[in-house]
Amino acid sequence: MSKPLSDHDRKKQISVRGLAGVENVTELKQNFNRHLHFTLVKDRNVATRRDYYFALAHTVRDHLIGRWIRTQQHYYEKDPKRVYYISLEFYMGRTLQNTMVNLALENACDEATYQLGLDMEELQDMEEDAGLGNGGLGRLAACFLDSMASLGLAAYGYGIRYEFGIFNQKIVNGWQVEEADDWLRFGNPWEKARPEYMRPVHFYGRTEHHPDGVKLVDTQVVLALPYDTPIPGYRNNIVNTMRLWSAKAPCDFNLKDFNVGGYIQAVLDRNLAENISRVLYPNDNFFEGKELRLKQEYFVVSATLQDIIRRFKVSKFGSREIARTDFSKLPDKVAIQLNDTHPAMAIPELMRVLVDEEKLEWEKAWDICVRTCAYTNHTVLPEALERWPVDLFAHLLPRHLEIVYEINRRHLERVAAKYPGDNGRLCRMSLIEEGGQKRINMAHLCIVGSHAVNGVAQIHSDILKATVFKDFYEMEPHKFQNKTNGITPRRWLVMCNPGLAEVIAERIGEDFIRDLDQLQSLRKYVNDEAFIRDIAKVKQENKLKFSVHLEEHYKVKINPNSMFDIQVKRIHEYKRQLLNCLHIITYYNQFCTSVLIPLTVPFMQAAPGYHTAKMIIRLITAIGEVVNNDPVIGDRLKVIFLENYRVTLAERAIPAADLSEQISTAGTEASGTGNMKFMLNGALTIGTMDGANVEMAEEAGEDNLFIFGMRVDDVDALDMKGYHAEAYYNRLPELKQAIDQIAGGFFSPKQPDLFKEIVNMMMHHDRFKVFADYEDYMKCQEKVNALYKNPKEWTKKVIYNIAGCGKFSSDRTITQYAREIWGMEPTLEKIPAPDDKI
């Protein structure tokens, strides 16, 4: 009987990880030791695991640097159009393994560290997640950067280098507690400070109007210091740049009135300026109108536009000579994509630069601005739309308020000319909301100042045109497009699920990693016994690994043969974690009378300022406390709240999932990308016809998803008729039992009234109609259970889902952005590596 392969030897056989040539391994070992000794100044005898991680990171980074420099030289030689993706969030996660995957170094590095007596996974676990985002928006931006590099686009990601990213979450006595995410405390080997490109950003002040133009005087200056991170494409030798700005106080900050006491205070006050890049705002899908947030938004926009204009003007790589001054060519060389309304200030700022500094006429400047900028909308929830008070604008950005007023005046003139006498439309379409406190509607500013406006799933884009932006669509229908979101298959398949990637590659080759549409050819294997067996085996291995992780980190013993029913997303009423809670309680109650399949249900995190979400977390943990400790149930039902969920934990959880919960109220989820990650990794979806679920059902076949609940039209009809939760409560005994248990303290015996607030909300103030979909959801869960008892038929549906994932590659999304919005053409051509002769 042959000896089973070690984990190390199994990895060596996975071809998608790259080849481990002897020369490569020898060179990597030499460079590793060199960095350990000379870069980190450490001896092997005293080096820690973190030192070894840094030595490995620098070794891998060496392979990036030459490609990075050559890529920039290539762009300056070719002078292509460049796209600038501006986002307040980039949820990058870890960089080491992703870089090894994209440079085909994974097996070589694994072998080198093995020969050095080190464990690769242990070193990878030393890396901090770069959690500079809240959830979908920031992770989408990260996937887009990967795809733009892999498609050979001259692209730059611009954002803020937050000192503290998304908070670290602890669960203490069932409650969420937040801790600061000091992700930079040990340093970041992947970034390079670029002080030579530091830029001044002006706040406050006042405007002076002169015959030769407008001047902004008496401003407070904050310096923007750029840090560059290399973004490698997939095995094409392209390395693009993500540039994140850090706020620095100038040397003379508040030192105008010098005396010793004043000097000390002035130096301490430097923190006020540098607070701009101190912390990521943690609220997702919720607008918080704080001055610091508006400062952050203008800070990133001002610094970025100065960089864009500088790069537009200069002639060649490394040069500072101005060679291009005709701004009419700007839209031919520059595309600016606004990731939601957070960077909306780019529009008035570009107008300020063109009119006040470059002295262009307003009409010409406006034409350039509109043709350069494009806007992606990410939500239809009214509480998430940015509406800044005019008073705050006047105080912080006085010149920009004047520009916004002028944009609005001319915009309303165009509206009035097209729709004479329609004062209601003028009011609805104004950039300035009157009545009470005057506010600037940033979404309206983005639409008016952009040549393209897109939603992020077809249903979302249709809703924007039919309701939220109906007036704007009727006036300028040519602006509105759809760009369904996507995910990078490099991180979300090859990296996080190499076993599945290899099983696929054995059947159809490795080209699917660059062209995910090739997964369609897996349909011919849907009845192939060996393929069905291989897919099921990989899933079970991933579940075993995740079970071990859960037991180690959450102290809960999991039955790896149970169905892993996972809902991991930000806690929000519209995502309806409460519907899932009701299902778990009902399932728990049914265990007394029925034989049910074993079930494991993990959840994830909330925002710190969001009271209802914190109460939902407490309910989940309370249900877990009862269910997980019930000796009658044993390991047949477990409820786990995944503490401190982030990209790295997602990379463990998603490959292990059997069932993906995508159960938002129809018409509320713009797209979702977690749904795509689960689908690609072999989970089946239970979900409503919302966001990208609709297109997933189209691609995989609706019969291969578990679709339930109201459609958008049904929700609208229920709104017209009136939603009465009590009617469902009185009609459905199982629902009534679950609600009574929550309200009566069954899950909180020491505090019987703990969840009265949640029950009151569900019974009387539930905008998202949990009870209306409960009955259909429970029936759908019964179908899930029935199919799960037939592993072969379950796995066939899994294969159909994986085969239908091609559309959901971010490569497809970015190709559409490039061709239909940016006026650029992607390419799969490789550029020469640094050691190749040109």
Side-chain angles (χ1 to χ4, degrees):
M1 190 170 146
S2 61
K3 184 181 174 184
L5 290 172
S6 70
D7 199 41
H8 172 71
D9 288 331
R10 280 183 67 253
K11 286 178 181 175
K12 285 165 68 174
Q13 294 186 355
I14 298 178
S15 64
V16 294
R17 292 164 55 91
L19 298 173
V22 175
E23 292 177 11
N24 282 356
V25 172
T26 302
E27 181 192 354
L28 286 167
K29 285 163 63 181
Q30 289 171 347
N31 288 339
F32 178 94
N33 286 321
R34 175 173 57 84
H35 279 299
L36 189 65
H37 190 70
F38 293 105
T39 307
L40 301 174
V41 197
K42 286 292 176 75
D43 184 87
R44 282 294 296 263
N45 295 324
V46 297
T48 64
R49 192 181 297 168
R50 179 163 281 106
D51 295 325
Y52 292 138
Y53 157 69
F54 272 90
L56 179 59
H58 283 291
T59 302
V60 172
R61 186 171 172 258
D62 289 345
H63 289 257
L64 283 172
I65 300 302
R67 290 171 171 83
W68 200 7
I69 294 169
R70 177 162 280 192
T71 298
Q72 301 313 310
Q73 289 172 334
H74 175 74
Y75 291 159
Y76 277 89
E77 288 163 8
K78 302 289 184 183
D79 192 26
K81 186 172 185 177
R82 291 169 164 85
V83 59
Y84 298 94
Y85 195 85
I86 310 180
S87 178
L88 268 284
E89 299 183 22
F90 286 97
Y91 204 169
M92 302 301 289
R94 291 175 176 172
T95 296
L96 175 60
Q97 191 181 359
N98 187 72
T99 302
M100 292 190 296
V101 165
N102 281 11
L103 297 185
L105 285 173
E106 204 172 4
N107 261 341
C109 287
D110 200 48
E111 183 63 28
T113 53
Y114 180 73
Q115 291 182 18
L116 288 164
L118 302 169
D119 183 275
M120 172 64 83
E121 288 188 12
E122 287 182 356
L123 299 190
Q124 289 171 346
D125 281 341
M126 297 311 297
E127 182 174 2
E128 300 284 337
D129 271 50
L132 308 185
N134 280 293
L137 180 97
R139 188 50 238 170
L140 181 78
C143 285
F144 280 3
L145 292 183
D146 179 272
S147 284
M148 287 188 277
S150 297
L151 292 168
L153 295 171
Y156 303 78
Y158 276 93
I160 293 179
R161 181 182 178 265
Y162 300 107
E163 192 176 324
F164 298 96
I166 183 65
F167 61 93
N168 284 324
Q169 180 195 50
K170 301 285 184 191
I171 300 298
V172 180
N173 298 321
W175 294 94
Q176 171 177 292
V177 176
E178 304 89 33
E179 295 178 353
D181 171 36
D182 192 4
W183 72 287
L184 292 169
R185 65 191 179 283
F186 298 113
N188 177 8
W190 304 105
E191 67 181 9
K192 173 73 175 75
R194 302 299 298 270
E196 66 272 30
Y197 294 119
M198 192 144 54
R199 295 285 173 258
V201 177
H202 296 264
F203 294 101
Y204 306 109
R206 55 190 174 81
T207 56
E208 291 182 350
H209 292 255
H210 302 278
D212 60 339
V214 180
K215 287 192 173 73
L216 188 60
V217 298
D218 298 335
T219 60
Q220 183 186 98
V221 176
V222 176
L223 299 177
L225 171 63
Y227 286 80
D228 288 355
T229 299
I231 307 292
Y234 183 70
R235 302 183 187 181
N236 62 355
N237 296 321
I238 294 282
V239 179
N240 283 341
T241 302
M242 176 177 68
R243 176 162 286 182
L244 302 181
W245 301 100
S246 181
K248 297 292 172 191
C251 292
D252 63 349
F253 184 81
N254 278 5
L255 297 182
K256 309 289 189 295
D257 304 315
F258 185 87
N259 60 62
V260 174
Y263 167 72
I264 296 296
Q265 189 57 48
V267 172
L268 296 178
D269 284 349
R270 290 169 61 88
N271 279 335
L272 298 175
E274 295 174 0
N275 280 343
I276 290 173
S277 58
R278 193 79 69 202
V279 64
L280 167 75
Y281 265 81
N283 283 334
D284 191 45
N285 277 307
F286 184 77
F287 171 59
E288 192 166 10
K290 301 278 176 65
E291 181 174 333
L292 178 60
R293 176 65 170 183
L294 184 55
K295 272 188 173 179
Q296 288 181 339
E297 294 183 357
Y298 179 64
F299 173 76
V300 68
V301 156
S302 172
T304 298
L305 276 169
Q306 291 178 67
D307 224 28
I308 291 171
I309 299 298
R310 172 193 61 78
R311 199 176 282 115
F312 171 74
K313 286 182 174 181
V314 299
S315 56
K316 56 185 181 292
F317 182 66
S319 169
R320 298 200 174 194
E321 295 175 18
I322 290 177
R324 192 186 276 133
T325 56
D326 180 3
F327 278 89
S328 66
K329 299 287 192 289
L330 187 73
D332 301 326
K333 290 297 177 184
V334 170
I336 296 174
Q337 190 68 38
L338 308 176
N339 192 27
D340 215 335
T341 56
H342 313 141
M345 289 302 301
I347 292 165
E349 173 66 1
L350 182 54
M351 287 300 291
R352 188 194 66 78
V353 170
L354 294 176
V355 173
D356 293 357
E357 295 182 7
E358 302 297 337
K359 307 302 181 185
L360 270 65
E361 293 293 321
W362 180 279
E363 289 80 5
K364 187 175 182 181
W366 182 245
D367 176 66
I368 291 167
C369 178
V370 171
R371 290 196 293 129
T372 301
C373 295
Y375 160 54
T376 301
N377 173 274
H378 284 277
T379 184
V380 297
L381 296 179
E383 64 265 35
L385 296 174
E386 290 194 299
R387 298 155 57 249
W388 288 105
V390 166
D391 292 346
L392 177 57
F393 240 74
H395 175 59
L396 188 66
L397 301 165
R399 177 56 181 148
H400 295 82
L401 181 60
E402 293 177 353
I403 291 170
V404 169
Y405 274 141
E406 181 61 16
I407 292 170
N408 194 44
R409 184 185 70 78
R410 292 168 181 255
H411 160 63
L412 292 181
E413 281 181 359
R414 291 194 301 274
V415 175
K418 186 160 186 177
Y419 303 100
D422 193 342
N423 291 329
R425 187 181 293 262
L426 278 174
C427 187
R428 293 193 304 271
M429 293 184 73
S430 175
L431 309 190
I432 312 298
E433 296 179 355
E434 308 285 347
Q437 186 182 35
K438 277 191 178 183
R439 292 177 175 269
I440 300 172
N441 187 310
M442 302 305 276
H444 291 184
L445 174 62
C446 285
I447 296 168
V448 171
S450 299
H451 69 278
V453 177
N454 71 278
V456 289
Q458 190 61 58
I459 187 174
H460 171 231
S461 298
D462 291 344
I463 288 169
L464 292 180
K465 293 188 289 188
T467 58
V468 187
F469 302 140
K470 182 173 185 284
D471 294 317
F472 292 91
Y473 173 66
E474 288 174 353
M475 184 166 172
E476 296 181 298
H478 61 277
K479 281 190 177 184
F480 287 79
Q481 303 186 18
N482 175 59
K483 298 287 172 281
T484 298
N485 282 344
I487 58 172
T488 168
R490 271 73 64 181
R491 182 176 291 266
W492 295 111
L493 180 57
V494 178
M495 184 181 131
C496 76
N497 202 346
L500 179 58
E502 186 64 14
V503 165
I504 294 169
E506 284 170 357
R507 267 65 178 194
I508 65 173
E510 294 181 24
D511 287 349
F512 74 92
I513 300 167
R514 284 191 191 85
D515 178 12
L516 209 60
D517 278 332
Q518 292 187 21
L519 291 179
Q520 291 176 23
S521 57
L522 291 178
R523 289 194 178 103
K524 66 188 176 196
Y525 296 102
V526 79
N527 292 308
D528 183 304
E529 296 287 344
F531 188 59
I532 292 169
R533 204 161 45 244
D534 288 348
I535 292 288
K537 183 183 174 189
V538 167
K539 177 62 69 179
Q540 194 57 33
E541 287 173 352
N542 290 333
K543 289 173 71 173
L544 281 165
K545 283 182 194 169
F546 192 51
S547 297
V548 170
H549 179 80
L550 290 177
E551 194 167 343
E552 286 177 1
H553 291 83
Y554 296 90
K555 311 306 177 195
V556 178
K557 192 165 180 60
I558 299 301
N559 177 359
N561 295 315
S562 64
M563 178 169 65
F564 284 21
D565 176 351
I566 301 185
Q567 184 177 21
V568 286
K569 47 184 76 251
R570 290 298 290 259
I571 304 283
H572 196 292
E573 287 119 304
Y574 86 86
K575 294 179 184 286
R576 297 203 297 191
Q577 282 90 355
L578 287 171
L579 181 58
N580 199 353
C581 286
L582 293 175
H583 160 241
I584 295 165
I585 295 169
T586 303
Y587 202 74
Y588 175 70
N589 292 333
Q590 288 172 347
F591 260 110
C592 301
T593 57
S594 310
V595 178
L596 301 173
I597 64 165
L599 190 65
T600 300
V601 191
F603 287 85
M604 85 168 248
Q605 74 184 41
Y610 187 10
H611 174 71
T612 304
K614 285 188 167 183
M615 288 306 301
I616 293 171
I617 287 179
R618 185 64 191 97
L619 175 60
I620 295 167
T621 58
I623 294 169
E625 287 161 12
V626 171
V627 169
N628 298 347
N629 294 300
D630 188 326
V632 176
I633 300 298
D635 66 357
R636 292 180 296 159
L637 178 60
K638 294 293 181 186
V639 179
I640 305 156
F641 189 86
L642 294 178
E643 179 182 274
N644 209 32
Y645 184 84
R646 51 201 52 227
V647 174
T648 299
L649 185 51
E651 290 161 5
R652 295 178 189 271
I654 289 171
D658 291 306
L659 188 68
S660 161
E661 299 270 352
Q662 308 296 331
I663 57 178
S664 53
T665 311
T668 61
E669 185 74 83
S671 168
T673 48
N675 45 4
M676 303 168 188
K677 293 164 194 167
F678 282 107
M679 183 184 186
L680 181 59
N681 281 276
L684 298 187
T685 300
I686 183 167
T688 51
M689 277 299 204
D690 196 24
N693 295 355
V694 178
E695 290 159 79
M696 286 163 52
E698 289 169 0
E699 296 298 308
E702 192 170 329
D703 289 347
N704 295 311
L705 281 76
F706 298 100
I707 298 296
F708 74 93
M710 297 179 289
R711 287 3 188 209
V712 171
D713 290 345
D714 299 323
V715 174
D716 292 342
L718 189 54
D719 280 330
M720 294 287 289
K721 176 184 166 188
Y723 168 65
H724 302 289
E726 299 95 327
Y728 299 94
Y729 170 81
N730 291 324
R731 184 171 63 82
L732 302 169
E734 290 184 327
L735 172 61
K736 183 178 187 303
Q737 182 185 6
I739 292 297
D740 289 349
Q741 285 172 308
I742 297 170
F746 181 84
F747 298 103
S748 54
K750 292 180 182 176
Q751 292 177 271
D753 292 342
L754 182 59
F755 302 118
K756 283 277 169 86
E757 194 178 324
I758 284 183
V759 171
N760 183 58
M761 184 272 289
M762 285 195 286
M763 292 293 291
H764 305 293
H765 313 289
D766 182 10
R767 293 160 52 203
F768 303 107
K769 306 173 181 62
V770 167
F771 291 4
D773 275 342
Y774 169 84
E775 186 176 20
D776 203 20
Y777 180 50
M778 293 306 300
K779 287 177 181 174
C780 199
Q781 288 282 8
E782 289 172 10
K783 293 177 187 173
V784 171
N785 294 344
L787 186 67
Y788 194 74
K789 292 174 184 174
N790 187 338
K792 185 175 175 181
E793 291 305 313
W794 179 279
T795 306
K796 284 183 180 181
K797 286 190 184 292
V798 166
I799 294 167
Y800 276 119
N801 273 267
I802 296 170
C805 279
K807 178 177 183 176
F808 305 110
S809 169
S810 49
D811 295 348
R812 186 270 315 154
T813 312
I814 288 299
T815 297
Q816 290 184 331
Y817 273 101
R819 289 174 176 161
E820 298 165 20
I821 295 180
W822 303 333
M824 301 167 73
E825 187 57 36
T827 176
L828 294 178
E829 289 179 23
K830 289 173 71 170
I831 66 170
D835 49 358
D836 291 347
K837 291 182 181 177
I838 300 177

